[in-house]
Amino acid sequence: MDWEQVDREQVDSEQVDSEQVDSEPVDSEPVDREPIDWVEIPAGVLRRGTPAEDLEQVAGRYADTGVPAEWYRKEAPRAEVFVPAFRIARTLVTNAQWEPFARTTGRAVPHGPADHPVTGVGWDEAAAYCDWLGRRLGGVRVRLPSEDEWERAARGDDAREFPWGDTYRTGLANLVDLGLGTTTPVGSFPDGASPFGVLDMAGNADEWTSTLYAPYPGAPADVPTAETWAFDPHVTRGGAYRHDRDLARCARRHGAYERDLAAIGVGFRVAAGAAVIDGAVAA
């Protein structure tokens, strides 16, 4: 089987983007335990994206959402991509987790409930938080997940449509059909967990990735090479409470298409390299 290997140059570029964020102040003492509930994602093959021959069917299945058919075309083609082991936070970064960073760095302190995801966070701010948190954890290289890592954590070893399976059901994620119109405490939908047990991979807050938007290799010719209408070039994934069920799909690629990131519910979760135990990468 031919596997499309992870593009090392792209990964390196994404890491440089994160590392070039201005260094943020850090509390004088690192925390004595990791405040992150890490989920170890084993190395494996991601069945990324959507087969080109399925795009028309996908667009028809979600026609009632009003999403133009051409928006799905950037998901093609389907490719098998080897993703090295990594770890990702089980839940989104919360207001409570964001608050000490905000106070330390002179940013606005969020007023939302402590256990809800922080939203309205720009990509540069999210990357700065990762850098700050990593230093508080004693040098762990905390970062945003790449787009492939995010989809691997959401989809697992198969090509499921949603993190929980192939059938959409209201009540498994905080999306517009739930009717709440706002965020919920992180981890409120355990039945909507991904195969690895990662929560809120659909809904609640749209999630930044470290990946700059570009068409997949072999994409349909009409897929734009850049999304110049986006307010940030990085890909988001998962959708927020205000979005429809099409954004719950594991393959769905999204972005920050409005300037008010709080209004559109943009947040993030953190990732890191796989944990090393006794000199070996955790399985």
Side-chain angles (χ1 to χ4, degrees):
M1 180 183 297
D2 290 331
W3 290 350
E4 179 185 325
Q5 296 293 323
V6 173
D7 186 334
R8 299 296 179 183
E9 292 182 358
Q10 179 182 356
V11 171
D12 290 345
S13 175
E14 291 167 356
Q15 291 176 349
V16 168
D17 285 344
S18 179
E19 290 167 356
Q20 287 177 341
V21 174
D22 290 341
S23 180
E24 297 288 350
V26 64
D27 294 349
S28 58
E29 295 294 332
V31 294
D32 58 3
R33 62 181 178 84
E34 294 197 3
I36 306 299
D37 182 7
W38 292 113
V39 177
E40 296 290 339
I41 309 297
V45 177
L46 164 66
R47 290 163 176 79
R48 185 183 69 189
T50 300
E53 60 271 21
D54 292 350
L55 290 172
E56 185 176 351
Q57 181 184 18
V58 169
R61 192 155 63 241
Y62 299 99
D64 61 298
T65 67
V67 174
E70 57 268 24
W71 288 12
Y72 299 103
R73 295 182 66 77
K74 61 186 175 183
E75 299 174 12
R78 166 68 54 76
E80 294 192 339
V81 181
F82 179 77
V83 180
F86 67 100
R87 49 184 162 158
I88 193 167
R90 191 177 305 277
T91 56
L92 295 148
V93 174
T94 64
N95 288 313
Q97 290 172 317
W98 181 263
E99 182 176 353
F101 167 72
R103 293 190 184 281
T104 299
T105 61
R107 290 174 166 84
V109 175
H111 298 294
D115 58 354
H116 285 225
V118 64
T119 59
V121 175
W123 190 91
D124 288 339
E125 288 185 304
Y129 175 88
C130 292
D131 179 68
W132 173 86
L133 179 62
R135 287 182 286 123
R136 277 181 60 91
L137 298 180
V140 176
R141 189 181 175 279
V142 179
R143 54 180 174 77
L144 295 171
S146 71
E147 189 179 15
D148 284 353
E149 287 175 331
W150 191 98
E151 190 169 338
R152 165 79 172 144
R155 202 166 219 176
D157 293 322
D158 56 36
R160 63 186 57 208
E161 183 108 351
F162 305 103
W164 53 83
D166 286 324
T167 302
Y168 185 80
R169 287 193 293 134
T170 297
L172 296 184
N174 181 14
L175 290 154
V176 71
D177 59 339
L178 203 62
L180 298 180
T182 188
T183 55
T184 51
V186 298
S188 293
F189 303 90
D191 290 341
S194 82
F196 298 116
V198 187
L199 301 172
D200 292 338
M201 297 297 275
N204 216 8
D206 206 17
E207 303 181 32
W208 287 119
T209 72
S210 65
T211 302
L212 295 167
Y213 168 78
Y216 289 147
D222 59 348
V223 172
T225 57
E227 294 190 329
T228 56
W229 53 92
F231 288 95
D232 187 282
H234 294 90
V235 175
T236 64
R237 289 298 200 109
Y241 63 87
R242 69 190 295 271
H243 293 124
D244 219 322
R245 71 188 191 282
D246 62 292
L247 275 170
R249 297 175 54 250
C250 297
R252 186 77 156 83
R253 309 180 77 193
H254 201 228
Y257 302 126
E258 296 179 32
R259 189 178 300 278
D260 189 340
L261 300 179
I264 61 176
V266 177
F268 69 106
R269 76 178 72 222
V270 297
V276 177
I277 302 173
D278 294 332
V281 174

